[in-house]
């Protein structure tokens, strides 16, 4: 066996073979791909082979589109088209949203009527048929042929493929960097390893001491024999019927169909046996029965079809159903392309290309932010919790997931020190990164956990809109209190702390102790990969505060930017060490002053500063910043003091009409104020200048930082699009939730990034990136559930544009 390679790929499924092909094509042909069995001896072996481009995520849609092109080039793709059916009015509405979102990201699709659907699928029943989306470019493939074709193409370019060779360890150097791969028959020296080991991925990551989170979740499909008189033609479009939870295609005159059960099974939570290969696992007929019934509703003759085989096999499912793609922080040279989450054939082509770009140049053309392999952290160390999340993601693969709904499995996982107080406040809890957090509070009513709430009211205005209006008024006119303990908090400490943060942040953060700076982390292309505040607590002591779900992603990003030779820096997740109370409203200062002897008057405690206060003998770190656009504070206390502080604030605030509030209203308030949300308004594809955050970027005040060159180049060129605030409709609630197409003169000019009803301005507000040259008075429409609602570009900031309230 060779003893050196430029790169070693672990795993000969569709993903590993695609990575090998793309790396070889990029000139890295001195590589070896290893598989412990034969090629296709993992999940790849069992795929049904359907691939569609229809997906709400721009990156996943592009992955799939590219994958299809690649399979076509290799001559392994059958372009028979696909039909996604709506079997209920709710699904039709979701399809309408899907069409609008697809058009907004550049995929030309139309809704087909029931009659058109029956023309495409004449064998289908017309019962409960509300319409469909037809994608002529979709189709299917044979998983073996596709994988072997990619492996063959890689081999032709010089790559070596070795089967029957299990990787047993990975040797690391003094910086924890990859040095060699150890196998059952030797050692291969290398600087780059790509972990494409599918559901064994976490075990391979453990070889370098890293945590990777995915759970094997079982998936089943069935081959049915042809029914006389109902033979299905070979070129029948593939079909998906999410209401009945099934997909399928024609096979040998009969049908192959599978689906996503409502009660999926996870297995091997403590590790996948190394000797498992292409064998199936025992099928569960009872679990499959509802899918069988679903398929027979859409194609009644299938009820009489003979069963050829029911296949069951797990695939690596991540807690959010997205793959794991990227280099692992802290282990230079260790890349991951795993956790394909039942999307292997759709994803693998594009992921292979992106991985080759990452390995060879450090950056990928596409936004891989949502796929960072280190995004799951401490809470997912519990394999049972990780598996509950994975099962939840699986069961919503087809089942309609409303945007305002919350996970239900694995709860409660993390509760804050203030949880009981929020329960007393009648909180309706949702969950975020394991935390129970109030969506809204109904004082006097019993608390409860939210789940599939929106299923009850569909796309209409939420029945709790009145409660949100009350919460909004409390924060705007009096004072509101919210438990924000779920904030991610990262301690950055040591002699190298300031330099590391200056390298990563676009703002100047090396300021005096007590400064609180709003900043972004940028990638080399100037795209926004984190949106945080940085507080300087001492000369060598900083705290980065981020969203609940972004903590692991941001911590990993900071790690990735540590360099050999830097002064020492310690990075620590201190999320659990502090509980956080948010208090905002015109009376916030009066309430705070009433609970502390320390002077909190405006001259002593101005906006953008933080300081320690004594509250009832406990030490509280208070910082004067806001996400709602009002005077107020974030108060950080050790969990043991949290209730004490909450109670004192509540008591002192009683005469001002203080009210506990939840997270939902924050969206409404921040949109009125033009504050951006990470993940929707801000993504790796958006730059600070495009997002209207150019004021954060301190080009003059600081030296080198990641993204600087890209920001400068863009300033030179000028931006082509800009995030705008839109007012949608005439004042009533509109069914806009994000992703919808924004049109000018009938042409798509952008897509909605965020949407919320603004209770102070009495309007539905949305944000969208629009072409720079679009005149502000251009009449616009937003597609809302198939209807076109009039919209107009408004001022960026709809409420207190002069910041008088914030700085009062
Ligand atoms: C029943 C079923 C139906 C599906 N249908 C579809 C579909 O229609 N469309 C679609 O897009 N997706 C489908 N999928 C999902 C798709 O099959 C997977 O997402 C995809 O195959 C995953 O590929 P992979 O290469 O990442 O992992 P795998 O195929 O599991 O490959 C991992 C490989 O790594 C090797 N390996 C592991 N550890 C080591 C080690 N230590 N040393 C050496 N080698 C190692 C294994 O032997 C294995 O060959 C389906 C999945 C299942 C289970």
């Amino acid at each position: 066996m060779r003893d050196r390679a430029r790169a070693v790929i672990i795993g000969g499924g569709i993903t590993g073979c695609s990575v090998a092909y793309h790396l070889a094509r990029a000139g890295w042909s001195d590589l070896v791909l290893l598989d412990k069995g034969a090629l296709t001896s993992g999940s790849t072996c069992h795929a049904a082979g359907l691939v569609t481009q229809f997906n709400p995520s721009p990156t996943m849609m592009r992955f799939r589109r590219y994958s299809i092109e690649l399979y076509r080039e290799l001559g392994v793709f059958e372009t028979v088209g696909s039909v996604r059916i709506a079997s209920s009015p709710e699904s039709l509405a979701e399809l309408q949203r899907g069409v609008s979102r697809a058009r907004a990201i550049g995929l030309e699709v139309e809704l087909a009527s029931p009659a058109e659907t029956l023309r495409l699928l004449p064998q289908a029943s017309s019962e409960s048929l509300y319409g469909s989306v037809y994608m002529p470019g979709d189709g299917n493939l044979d998983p073996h042929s596709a994988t072997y074709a990619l492996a063959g193409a890689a081999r032709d370019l010089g790559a070596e493929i070795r089967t029957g060779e299990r990787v047993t360890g990975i040797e690391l150097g003094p910086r924890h960097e990859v040095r060699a791969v150890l196998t059952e028959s030797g050692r291969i020296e290398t600087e780059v390893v790509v972990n494409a080991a599918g559901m064994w991925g976490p075990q391979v990551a453990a070889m370098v001491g890293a945590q990777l989170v995915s759970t094997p979740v079982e998936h089943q499909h069935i081959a049915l024999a042809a029914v006389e008189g109902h033979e299905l033609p070979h070129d029948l479009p593939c079909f998906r019927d999410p209401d009945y939870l099934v997909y399928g295609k024609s096979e040998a005159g009969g049908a192959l169909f599978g689906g996503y059960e409502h009660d999926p099974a996870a297995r091997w939570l403590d590790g996948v046996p190394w000797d498992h290969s292409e064998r199936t696992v025992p099928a569960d007929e009872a679990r499959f029965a509802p899918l069988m019934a679903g398929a027979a509703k859409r194609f009644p003759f299938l009820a009489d079809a003979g069963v050829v085989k029911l296949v069951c096999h797990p695939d690596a499912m991540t807690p959010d159903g997205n793959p794991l793609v990227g280099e692992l922080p802290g282990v230079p040279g260790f890349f991951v392309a795993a956790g394909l989450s039942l999307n292997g054939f759709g994803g693998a082509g594009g992921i292979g290309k992106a991985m080759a770009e990452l390995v060879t140049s450090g950056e990928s053309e596409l936004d891989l932010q949502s796929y960072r392999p280190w995004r799951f952290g401490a809470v997912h160390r519990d394999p049972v919790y990780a598996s509950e999340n994975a099962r939840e993601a699986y069961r919503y693969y087809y089942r309609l997931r409303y945007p305002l709904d919350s996970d239900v499995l694995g709860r409660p996982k993390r509760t804050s020190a203030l949880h009981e107080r929020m329960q007393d406040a009648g909180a309706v809890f949702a969950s975020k990164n394991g935390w129970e957090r109030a969506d809204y509070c109904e004082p006097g009513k019993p608390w409860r956990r939210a789940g599939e709430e929106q299923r009850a009211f569909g796309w209409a205005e939420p029945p709790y809109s009145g409660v949100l209006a009350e919460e909004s008024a409390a924060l705007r006119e009096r004072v509101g209190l919210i438990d924000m303990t779920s904030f991610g908090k990262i301690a950055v400490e040591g002699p190298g702390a300031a330099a590391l943060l200056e390298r990563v942040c676009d703002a100047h953060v090396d300021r005096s102790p007590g400064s609180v700076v709003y900043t972004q982390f940028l990638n080399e292309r100037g795209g926004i990969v984190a949106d945080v505040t940085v507080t300087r607590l001492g000369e060598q002591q900083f705290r980065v505060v981020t969203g609940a779900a972004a903590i692991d992603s941001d911590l990993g990003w900071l790690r990735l930017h540590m360099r050999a030779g830097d002064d020492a820096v310690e990075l620590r997740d201190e999320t659990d060490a502090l509980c956080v109370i948010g208090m905002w409203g015109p009376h916030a200062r009066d309430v705070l002053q009433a609970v502390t002897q320390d002077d909190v008057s405006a001259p002593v405690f101005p906006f953008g500063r933080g300081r320690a206060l004594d509250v009832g003998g406990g030490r509280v770190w208070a910082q004067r910043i806001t996400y709602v656009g009002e005077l107020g504070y974030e108060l950080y206390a050790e969990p043991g003091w949290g209730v004490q502080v909450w109670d004192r604030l509540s008591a002192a605030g009683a005469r001002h009409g203080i009210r506990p509030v939840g997270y939902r209203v924050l969206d409404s308030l921040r949109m009125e104020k033009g504050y951006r949300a990470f993940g929707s308004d801000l993504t790796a594809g958006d730059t600070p200048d495009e997002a209207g955050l150019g004021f954060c970027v301190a080009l003059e005040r600081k030296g080198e930082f990641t993204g600087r060159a890209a920001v400068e180049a863009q300033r030179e060129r000028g931006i082509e699009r800009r995030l705008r605030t839109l007012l949608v409709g005439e004042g009533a609630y509109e069914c806009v939730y994000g992703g919808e197409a924004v049109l000018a003169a009938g042409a798509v000019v952008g897509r909605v990034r965020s949407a919320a009803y603004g209770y102070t301005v009495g309007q539905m507000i949305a944000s969208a990136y629009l072409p720079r040259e679009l005149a502000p008075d251009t009449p616009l429409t937003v597609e809302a559930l198939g209807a076109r609602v009039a919209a107009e570009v408004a001022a960026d900031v709809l409420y207190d544009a002069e910041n008088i309230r914030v700085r009062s």
Side-chain angles (χ1 to χ4, degrees):
M1 191 169 82
R2 66 198 285 174
D3 59 6
R4 189 162 164 92
R6 197 170 183 195
V8 175
I9 297 160
I10 306 172
I14 186 66
T15 312
C17 291
S18 174
V19 173
Y21 166 70
H22 286 93
L23 266 179
R25 208 176 66 174
W28 278 48
S29 53
D30 174 19
L31 68 85
V32 54
L33 179 150
L34 303 171
D35 199 292
K36 63 185 180 57
L39 292 182
T40 77
S41 59
S43 309
T44 295
C45 186
H46 307 285
L50 276 70
V51 185
T52 178
Q53 297 166 66
F54 195 66
N55 195 277
S57 143
T59 303
M60 187 50 77
M61 186 272 280
R62 285 184 191 120
F63 276 166
R64 291 182 179 185
R65 179 189 278 177
Y66 173 78
S67 298
I68 288 177
E69 273 168 26
L70 176 69
Y71 302 138
R72 251 190 225 135
E73 265 171 41
L74 291 167
V76 293
F77 196 71
E78 300 245 19
T79 311
V80 293
S82 82
V83 182
R84 195 180 187 93
I85 299 167
S87 296
S88 68
E90 294 77 22
S91 276
L92 183 66
E94 174 63 358
L95 270 193
Q96 278 165 335
R97 276 174 47 74
V99 165
S100 180
R101 280 181 295 179
R103 288 170 40 144
I105 57 176
L107 195 64
E108 261 320 306
V109 275
E110 295 292 340
L111 216 53
S113 67
E116 285 162 335
T117 307
L118 287 174
R119 248 195 315 279
L120 292 160
L121 291 175
Q123 303 78 0
S125 152
S126 59
E127 277 293 298
S128 309
L129 181 60
Y130 290 83
S132 68
V133 166
Y134 175 52
M135 302 283 302
D138 286 358
N140 62 71
L141 46 70
D142 169 61
H144 292 260
S145 318
T147 311
Y148 276 88
L150 269 172
R155 227 187 244 121
D156 291 346
L157 290 166
E160 181 185 342
I161 296 191
R162 284 185 69 91
T163 52
E165 192 79 65
R166 179 158 80 86
V167 171
T168 53
I170 295 167
E171 213 178 277
L172 301 179
R175 288 186 302 113
H176 224 70
E177 78 280 13
V178 168
R179 255 202 183 159
V181 167
L182 309 175
T183 76
E184 280 168 326
S185 53
R187 175 180 184 275
I188 307 174
E189 203 180 294
T190 187
E191 276 146 33
V192 170
V193 163
V194 181
N195 173 0
M199 57 189 181
W200 294 268
Q203 288 151 263
V204 170
M207 294 176 187
V208 297
Q211 171 184 311
L212 208 60
V213 183
S214 71
T215 306
V217 176
E218 292 181 5
H219 187 64
Q220 307 195 87
H221 55 69
I222 198 164
L224 297 176
V227 176
E228 214 182 308
H230 295 282
E231 288 83 2
L232 296 175
H234 179 72
D235 58 357
L236 187 80
C238 301
F239 55 88
R240 293 174 178 80
D241 195 328
D243 285 291
Y244 297 142
L245 307 177
V246 292
Y247 62 81
K249 64 173 183 176
S250 108
E251 192 168 87
L256 181 146
F257 75 87
Y260 295 86
E261 306 95 336
H262 194 55
D263 188 20
R267 61 160 54 224
W268 295 325
L269 302 199
D270 50 356
V272 185
W274 288 116
D275 66 358
H276 176 80
S277 57
E278 62 278 342
R279 290 186 312 276
T280 54
V281 301
D284 186 332
E285 282 179 31
R287 204 171 69 230
F288 197 73
L291 306 185
M292 191 86 186
K297 276 193 192 142
R298 186 47 64 216
F299 296 95
F301 62 89
L302 288 180
D304 303 324
V307 174
V308 180
K309 196 174 179 189
L310 175 61
V311 168
C312 181
H313 196 271
D315 192 22
M317 193 83 197
T318 63
D320 59 11
N322 284 323
L324 306 162
V325 186
E327 189 178 13
L328 275 192
V331 197
F334 189 81
F335 292 81
V336 179
L340 269 289
S341 303
L342 285 154
N343 187 35
F345 282 86
I351 288 174
K353 179 168 177 283
M355 183 53 60
E357 290 165 356
L358 277 183
V359 170
T360 57
S361 75
E363 285 275 332
S364 156
E365 191 202 336
L366 288 180
D367 171 9
L368 300 176
Q369 173 80 19
S370 331
Y371 306 150
R372 289 176 172 193
W374 65 88
R375 65 187 182 275
F376 306 110
V379 69
H380 291 104
R381 242 176 253 141
D382 169 7
V384 176
Y385 182 68
S387 79
E388 288 299 83
N389 282 188
R391 291 176 62 242
E392 181 112 32
Y394 180 101
R395 69 181 189 161
Y396 281 108
Y397 212 95
Y398 274 0
R399 186 173 162 79
L400 176 59
R401 173 106 206 195
Y402 285 96
L404 302 178
D405 281 350
S406 175
D407 285 355
V408 293
L409 299 180
R411 292 176 60 188
K413 183 65 182 165
R414 295 165 106 180
T415 51
S416 95
L418 300 166
H419 192 63
E420 271 183 40
R421 288 295 181 267
M422 295 307 284
Q423 288 178 324
D424 294 345
V428 176
F429 293 100
S431 89
K432 190 83 167 201
N433 201 21
W435 288 100
E436 291 293 313
R437 320 195 307 185
D439 258 357
Y440 54 95
C441 296
E442 293 185 277
K445 290 203 178 167
W447 69 273
R448 66 194 166 83
R449 272 185 210 118
E452 291 192 325
E453 310 288 281
Q454 202 177 350
R455 196 159 290 276
F457 60 87
W459 300 104
E461 179 170 13
Y464 50 81
S465 191
V467 180
L468 299 185
E470 275 173 38
E471 293 189 349
S472 172
L475 285 154
R476 289 272 184 257
E477 294 159 19
R478 308 189 310 272
V479 56
L481 211 52
I482 176 170
D483 174 13
M484 304 188 102
T485 301
S486 66
F487 264 160
K489 308 158 203 104
I490 305 169
V492 186
E493 292 174 4
L500 174 66
L501 288 168
E502 278 294 297
R503 180 187 298 152
V504 172
C505 299
D506 62 0
H508 177 52
V509 295
D510 188 3
R511 304 190 197 192
S512 60
S515 60
V516 185
V517 181
Y518 170 52
T519 183
Q520 294 76 44
F521 299 170
L522 307 182
N523 62 21
E524 291 290 357
R525 290 200 307 265
I528 299 168
V529 295
D531 185 57
V532 303
T533 56
V534 176
T535 301
R536 188 168 208 161
L537 298 164
E539 205 43 52
Q540 299 187 359
Q541 202 188 359
F542 293 82
R543 179 180 296 139
V544 175
V545 175
T546 187
I551 170 76
D552 298 294
S553 191
D554 295 357
L555 192 54
W557 188 257
L558 286 167
R559 285 213 174 97
L560 271 180
H561 283 78
M562 291 168 83
R563 304 272 177 269
D566 280 359
D567 287 337
V569 187
E570 189 199 348
L571 295 174
R572 212 173 50 249
D573 176 353
E574 57 174 10
T575 301
D576 294 337
L578 291 164
C579 75
V580 186
I581 299 169
M583 179 171 69
W584 290 282
H587 296 299
R589 184 186 293 118
D590 301 336
V591 177
L592 187 62
Q593 191 61 83
V595 300
T596 182
Q597 304 282 331
D598 297 307
D599 184 359
V600 297
S601 62
V604 178
F605 195 176
F607 181 75
R609 300 292 298 176
R611 54 179 302 206
L613 302 175
D614 185 300
V615 177
R619 189 176 180 279
V620 170
W621 176 264
Q623 48 192 45
R624 209 185 133 183
I625 52 171
T626 177
Y627 195 46
V628 301
E630 298 293 341
L631 165 70
Y633 314 86
E634 288 171 1
L635 304 164
Y636 294 74
E638 284 175 12
W641 287 95
V643 169
Q644 172 82 205
V645 177
W646 180 274
D647 286 351
R648 282 173 187 252
L649 294 170
S650 301
R655 70 189 187 92
H656 299 288
I658 200 166
R659 189 198 196 286
V661 303
Y663 269 82
R664 205 55 90 203
V665 74
L666 301 189
D667 245 343
S668 161
L669 298 162
R670 66 104 188 155
M671 289 206 70
E672 291 180 331
K673 194 71 181 89
Y675 294 151
R676 308 330 196 187
F678 183 70
S680 52
D681 297 324
L682 310 177
T683 74
D686 311 311
T687 66
D689 284 355
E690 291 167 344
L693 297 178
F695 67 90
C696 292
V697 189
L699 287 182
E700 292 77 31
R701 294 186 67 187
K702 59 189 290 175
E704 259 320 300
F705 64 94
T706 306
R708 180 182 184 111
V711 172
E712 284 173 334
Q714 190 178 52
R715 290 227 167 138
E716 191 108 330
R717 275 194 324 272
I719 53 171
E720 288 170 10
R721 50 182 210 134
R722 169 76 156 70
L723 191 64
R724 297 286 182 205
T725 301
L726 309 183
L727 291 175
V728 186
E730 304 281 313
Y733 185 90
E734 299 289 346
C735 307
V736 182
Y737 291 87
E740 296 83 357
V742 180
L743 302 104
V748 177
V749 288
R751 73 185 166 98
V752 172
R753 295 298 191 93
S754 298
Y757 192 80
Y759 294 96
T760 323
V761 299
Q763 284 264 320
M764 193 76 198
I765 310 168
S767 61
Y769 285 88
L770 298 179
R772 180 84 203 200
E773 69 278 4
L774 194 86
D777 55 356
T778 309
L780 300 173
T781 52
V782 172
E783 279 186 351
L785 298 179
R788 292 201 172 165
V789 184
E792 60 179 272
V793 176
D796 280 357
V797 183
L798 302 170
Y799 174 80
D800 187 26
E802 292 79 34
N803 274 331
I804 292 165
R805 298 175 76 92
V806 171
R807 293 180 181 274
S808 66

